[in-house]
Amino acid sequence: MIEVPAFLDLHTHTRYPDKSFFPAKDIEKSALNGGYSDILAMPNSEIIIDDIEALNYAREIDSSLNLNVHRVGALSKHLSGKELVDFKSFIQNGITIFSDDGKSLIEDTLADEAFKIVAELGGAIFQHCEKSCFSNPGDIAPPSNSSELILIPDSEEFEILKRDLELVEKYNTRYHAQHLSSKKSVELIEQAKNKQLPVTAEVTPHHLLINNENLDITNGKYKMYPPIRSEEDRQSLISGLKTGIIDTIATDHAPHPEVTKNIKFKEAARGVVGLESAFPVLYSSNIFTLDELLIFLVDNPREILNNLGYEINEPFHNQWIEGVELFNTKSEYKNSAFENFEVNIKKVDLHV
Ligand SMILES: [Zn+2]
């Protein structure tokens, strides 16, 4: 048996607050089953966190959970990329992180303004880098034999990331690159860190453990943004973590009902759940030592939030027992990339 501190996820889609009453308790269940005590909630819920009224509504639900939910404000109103939110009001309410996750802030002039204001206010921008997010969202990374699926080249991520890092250099804005997927992006972050720019980055468990060789596209199970890329990209993401270029492993936990995932790849929703599976699959992969995993799942994400003024409680400890089994999600939304993966560790006290 091993005992480790609870993890902090810098990238969770809580889905609530919404008008259709997504079961918030399911997020709590996923997080606790995965060994997480804290999550950072992305603002692209059905009710978008782009003003203080929505923030307060979300916080009310958050406070009913046995989980520390930290909040992010949207960068733009309605995530439309057209009009910036009132950053000052968010900062006055304890929110220093801004993201349009699910979308990028594409328009250069508006991005310039956002990076300038957020830097002046001492906040941070967490960017989902996807150049064509408003026009032509693709389906899968190249290469692909499918004539139907639209390819997502790594320039989708690279071009926004490159533009953003120039703005970071211009305004010294605190910046965090979300879910990196490619070797070229890792190289950009490395250059930024060599210049001592205030930059951090994350990678998901699925980008670390799966490549696109023989990726199953019989249904939408592996459809997500950014897409799973080549083995060369995967290796670069692993070494990026090991060398400190990438700071943290974040799940991009995104619950979807089966009817929108277990359908044709082309039509499927983007995203996978990840809170429950992250530690078991990473630990079982033997790619990282336990000490390394604790840096990526506990120490670094806590430090990132702490440095941005978020109050983080001391983590409680979870117990895990060793033993080979097939991983199965226990919470309601089971759109995991790791369903039936062989794992060799399991949390004690799972909520089933
Ligand atoms: Zn994203």
Side-chain angles (χ1 to χ4, degrees):
M1 182 149 69
I2 59 167
E3 194 174 283
V4 298
F7 315 126
L8 188 157
D9 186 37
L10 283 184
H11 197 141
T12 299
H13 297 278
T14 57
R15 298 295 182 233
Y16 74 85
D18 58 345
K19 294 180 183 108
S20 40
F21 302 104
F22 180 88
K25 281 276 176 192
D26 200 59
I27 294 290
E28 176 193 274
K29 189 171 173 180
S30 302
L32 296 180
N33 277 348
Y36 286 83
S37 59
D38 294 68
I39 60 168
L40 184 66
M42 290 302 117
N44 65 339
S45 26
E46 191 184 316
I47 295 173
I48 295 166
I49 314 300
D50 59 2
D51 63 22
I52 302 307
E53 195 188 333
L55 172 68
N56 288 338
Y57 184 37
R59 280 177 162 170
E60 213 178 292
I61 304 171
D62 296 343
S63 66
S64 71
L65 301 181
N66 183 24
L67 177 69
N68 303 312
V69 183
H70 307 281
R71 285 277 157 193
V72 171
L75 276 164
S76 70
K77 284 282 200 188
H78 318 295
L79 309 176
S80 65
K82 299 226 177 331
E83 182 194 348
L84 298 176
V85 301
D86 178 1
F87 294 117
K88 222 176 203 165
S89 67
F90 275 101
I91 300 245
Q92 283 162 352
N93 281 274
I95 301 296
T96 54
I97 299 175
F98 300 94
S99 174
D100 271 357
D101 184 52
K103 295 270 190 288
S104 290
L105 196 54
I106 300 292
E107 215 266 302
D108 289 338
T109 319
L110 203 66
D112 188 288
E113 197 184 332
F115 277 69
K116 182 169 187 281
I117 299 173
V118 170
E120 283 166 3
L121 294 171
I125 289 178
F126 280 36
Q127 186 87 285
H128 159 119
C129 298
E130 183 184 10
K131 199 181 84 181
S132 307
C133 62
F134 289 104
S135 53
N136 186 24
D139 302 301
I140 194 168
S144 162
N145 297 325
S146 163
S147 54
E148 192 191 24
L149 300 180
I150 299 172
L151 296 181
I152 309 173
D154 57 12
S155 56
E156 271 296 315
E157 183 173 85
F158 180 86
E159 287 183 22
I160 296 294
L161 185 59
K162 187 165 181 293
R163 191 263 336 248
D164 283 359
L165 293 172
E166 284 163 11
L167 291 173
V168 170
E169 206 164 353
K170 187 171 174 187
Y171 295 116
N172 206 38
T173 318
R174 175 71 180 85
Y175 181 82
H176 179 80
Q178 297 182 298
H179 46 50
L180 291 187
S181 71
S182 78
K183 184 180 176 190
K184 282 188 194 160
S185 299
V186 177
E187 289 166 356
L188 274 184
I189 297 291
E190 183 178 19
Q191 289 161 20
K193 287 201 168 180
N194 287 341
K195 290 182 194 165
Q196 318 278 326
L197 297 180
V199 168
T200 52
E202 70 185 35
V203 59
T204 74
H206 42 279
H207 289 99
L208 290 168
L209 302 184
I210 306 171
N211 66 30
N212 67 353
E213 291 164 15
N214 307 314
L215 196 73
D216 176 13
I217 51 165
T218 54
N219 62 29
K221 180 176 172 176
Y222 292 108
K223 185 162 174 185
M224 73 276 289
Y225 187 85
I228 302 286
R229 298 193 181 278
S230 70
E231 178 60 15
E232 191 186 6
D233 290 308
R234 187 179 82 92
Q235 289 301 335
S236 162
L237 295 164
I238 292 169
S239 68
L241 266 174
K242 286 187 179 266
T243 55
I245 298 167
I246 301 175
D247 303 84
T248 168
I249 302 174
T251 68
D252 200 1
H253 180 89
H256 288 288
E258 198 187 346
V259 289
T260 66
K261 285 300 276 183
N262 191 14
I263 53 173
K264 272 177 77 176
F265 198 93
K266 179 89 189 157
E267 279 135 35
R270 306 196 304 185
V272 288
V273 290
L275 285 168
E276 278 188 61
S277 56
F279 182 67
V281 296
L282 288 163
Y283 181 88
S284 306
S285 73
N286 289 319
I287 296 172
F288 305 101
T289 64
L290 179 60
D291 283 348
E292 283 176 322
L293 286 179
L294 294 181
I295 291 170
F296 308 141
L297 296 168
V298 181
D299 300 348
N300 286 353
R302 292 174 72 85
E303 191 183 326
I304 287 170
L305 278 201
N306 252 325
N307 288 345
L308 285 165
Y310 285 71
E311 232 176 83
I312 320 281
N313 298 330
E314 274 303 303
F316 53 78
H317 281 64
N318 288 303
Q319 293 176 328
W320 299 78
I321 39 170
E322 294 189 328
V324 175
E325 64 164 27
L326 297 182
F327 174 81
N328 281 125
T329 305
K330 304 289 185 290
S331 52
E332 187 173 333
Y333 294 84
K334 301 185 194 299
N335 54 304
S336 166
F338 297 110
E339 212 62 6
N340 294 317
F341 245 58
E342 189 174 290
V343 293
N344 58 22
I345 199 159
K346 173 179 166 175
K347 189 168 168 286
V348 176
D349 298 332
L350 280 174
H351 302 262
V352 292

